[in-house]
């Protein structure tokens, strides 16, 4: 009697699993194509341009000789690099500190219920909703030495007018003040959402134990708000370090390069001096700085999650 051969049972679920992976890649394909076209290609092109002697002539002839790291060397040897780097650091630090501080104070303030709080909170979002060019133009008028509303207020209280936009000492504080006004609503919205997520029972228990307002903030609000705080500061840093519109509209990088940041200097090198390779090099320096801070944030967030899990 011949016993028929019994074939090994087929693995169930292998084909559906492959189909699921194929379907997943199909859904991801539009996003990957978008990232590749609008982020990957410009980044790669910028990296290549930073290693070439790319000039106006290159647009017609297509010739851009390879110069290696000569553009980076020229940028770092330029005396304006130190000024632009310092202005970028001061502009970023000043903006972040006051945007976050005032945004957090307003977020705590709006956690209380009072008449008109929703309307007032909506009005505070206007600086965030307005186009940056419009905001910059309005503040430029407000900073006008002769007809600006800020100097009019100073004269009203008996003080001298301040040359906001024509003084090398006041121009940078002026653009920082403008950027603070623009960035407060973003911090307010995100931090307010984080505060609303904290259980009210924790505050009630702390109040029963005799904890004051500062103790409740220090031991409940601030520790539970740390993850949201990290996100707000990281996004604020990445946004602020590359601010271009506000500075160009308000001061244009002047006077005497007093507000010349790495972004405005990159623009000047590329579209005023037509040194496109050096302009691309400055842009890559900015990308590198933002990437370093991004990696530091991810490491910090990972450590925070591990600490919370423990």
């Amino acid at each position: 009697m011949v016993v028929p051969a019994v074939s090994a049972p087929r693995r169930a679920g292998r084909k559906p699993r492959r189909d699921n992976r194929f379907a997943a890649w199909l859904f991801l394909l539009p996003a990957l194509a978008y990232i590749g076209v609008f982020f990957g290609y410009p980044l790669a092109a910028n990296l290549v341009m930073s290693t070439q002697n790319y000039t106006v002539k290159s647009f017609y002839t297509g010739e851009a000789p390879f110069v290696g790291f000569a553009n980076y060397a020229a940028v770092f040897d330029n005396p304006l690099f130190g000024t632009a780097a310092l202005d970028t650091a001061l502009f970023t630090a000043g903006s972040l500190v006051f945007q976050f501080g005032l945004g957090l104070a307003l977020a705590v303030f709006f956690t209380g219920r009072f008449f008109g709080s929703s309307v007032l909170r909506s009005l505070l979002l206007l600086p965030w909703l307005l186009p940056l060019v419009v905001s910059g133009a309005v503040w430029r008028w407000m900073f006008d030495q002769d007809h600006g509303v800020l100097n009019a207020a100073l004269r009203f209280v008996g003080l001298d007018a301040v040359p906001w936009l024509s003084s090398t000492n006041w121009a940078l504080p002026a653009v920082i003040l403008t950027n603070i006004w623009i960035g407060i609503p973003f911090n307010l919205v995100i931090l307010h959402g984080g505060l609303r997520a904290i259980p009210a029972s924790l505050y009630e228990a702390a109040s029963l134990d005799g904890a004051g307002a500062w103790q409740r903030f220090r031991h409940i609000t601030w520790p539970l708000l740390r993850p949201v705080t990290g996100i707000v500061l990281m996004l604020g840093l990445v946004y602020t370090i590359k601010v271009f519109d506000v500075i160009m509209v308000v001061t244009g990088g002047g006077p005497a390069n007093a507000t010349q940041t790495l972004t405005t200097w990159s623009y000047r090198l590329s579209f005023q001096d037509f040194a496109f390779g050096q302009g691309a090099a400055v842009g890559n320096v900015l990308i590198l700085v933002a990437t370093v801070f991004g990696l530091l944030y991810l490491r910090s967030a990972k450590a925070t999650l591990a600490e919370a899990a423990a």
Side-chain angles (χ1 to χ4, degrees):
M1 181 176 180
V2 179
V3 180
V6 179
S7 60
R10 294 180 63 184
R11 282 182 142 183
R14 176 176 294 181
K15 187 175 181 180
R17 186 180 299 174
R18 289 179 179 176
D19 293 342
N20 290 338
R21 289 179 179 177
F22 181 72
W25 279 107
L26 284 179
F27 281 109
L28 286 174
L29 188 60
L32 293 175
Y34 177 84
I35 294 174
V37 172
F38 294 100
F39 291 91
Y41 173 74
L43 179 60
N46 200 65
L47 286 171
V48 172
M49 184 180 291
S50 68
T51 61
Q52 296 175 322
N53 183 22
Y54 208 97
T55 62
V56 176
K57 184 180 178 181
S58 302
F59 287 100
Y60 298 96
T61 64
E63 297 177 357
F66 178 78
V67 295
F69 293 99
N71 288 324
Y72 292 92
V75 165
F76 292 136
D77 290 340
N78 195 317
L80 196 54
F81 176 78
T83 301
L86 179 60
D87 288 346
T88 302
L90 293 175
F91 177 81
T92 303
S95 298
L96 283 181
V97 168
F98 288 99
Q99 284 177 355
F100 179 80
L102 294 175
L104 179 59
L106 289 172
V108 173
F109 173 74
F110 281 112
T111 53
R113 295 285 185 176
F114 58 91
F115 178 75
S117 62
S118 299
V119 176
L120 183 57
R121 192 166 66 247
S122 301
L123 291 175
L124 287 175
L125 292 179
L126 286 177
W128 192 28
L129 300 176
L130 288 174
L132 293 178
V133 174
V134 174
S135 300
V138 170
W139 277 91
R140 182 178 177 85
W141 169 77
M142 293 174 62
F143 285 130
D144 188 87
Q145 185 172 352
D146 298 322
H147 309 288
V149 65
L150 293 180
N151 281 339
L154 292 176
R155 294 190 189 97
F156 181 78
V157 297
L159 299 177
D160 295 332
V162 175
W164 297 100
L165 304 181
S166 58
S167 170
T168 55
N169 295 325
W170 287 101
L172 186 60
V175 293
I176 291 175
L177 179 61
T178 304
N179 198 56
I180 290 171
W181 181 80
I182 293 172
I184 286 176
F186 171 77
N187 289 261
L188 167 61
V189 170
I190 305 300
L191 293 173
H192 184 263
L195 290 173
R196 294 291 297 272
I198 299 176
S201 58
L202 297 178
Y203 294 106
E204 295 173 359
S207 298
L208 292 176
D209 290 339
W214 169 248
Q215 291 176 320
R216 292 196 298 271
F217 177 83
R218 179 183 177 184
H219 298 288
I220 298 177
T221 303
W222 184 248
L224 295 179
L225 202 62
R226 280 179 59 189
V228 179
T229 297
I231 294 173
V232 170
L233 290 176
M234 184 59 213
L235 292 177
L237 174 66
V238 172
Y239 167 79
T240 307
I241 203 172
K242 64 181 182 62
V243 166
F244 171 78
D245 319 58
V246 176
I247 299 175
M248 285 302 295
V249 173
V250 177
T251 63
N257 297 316
T259 58
Q260 195 77 262
T261 61
L262 292 175
T263 53
T264 58
W265 189 37
S266 177
Y267 173 85
R268 172 179 167 181
L269 287 170
S270 298
F271 300 105
Q272 294 182 5
D273 299 340
F274 301 113
F276 297 102
Q278 294 184 27
V282 175
N284 289 331
V285 171
L286 273 174
I287 294 174
L288 178 61
V289 172
T291 302
V292 169
F293 280 106
L295 293 175
L296 290 176
Y297 164 72
L298 292 176
R299 182 177 179 181
S300 176
K302 185 177 179 180
T304 302
L305 292 175
E307 180 182 349

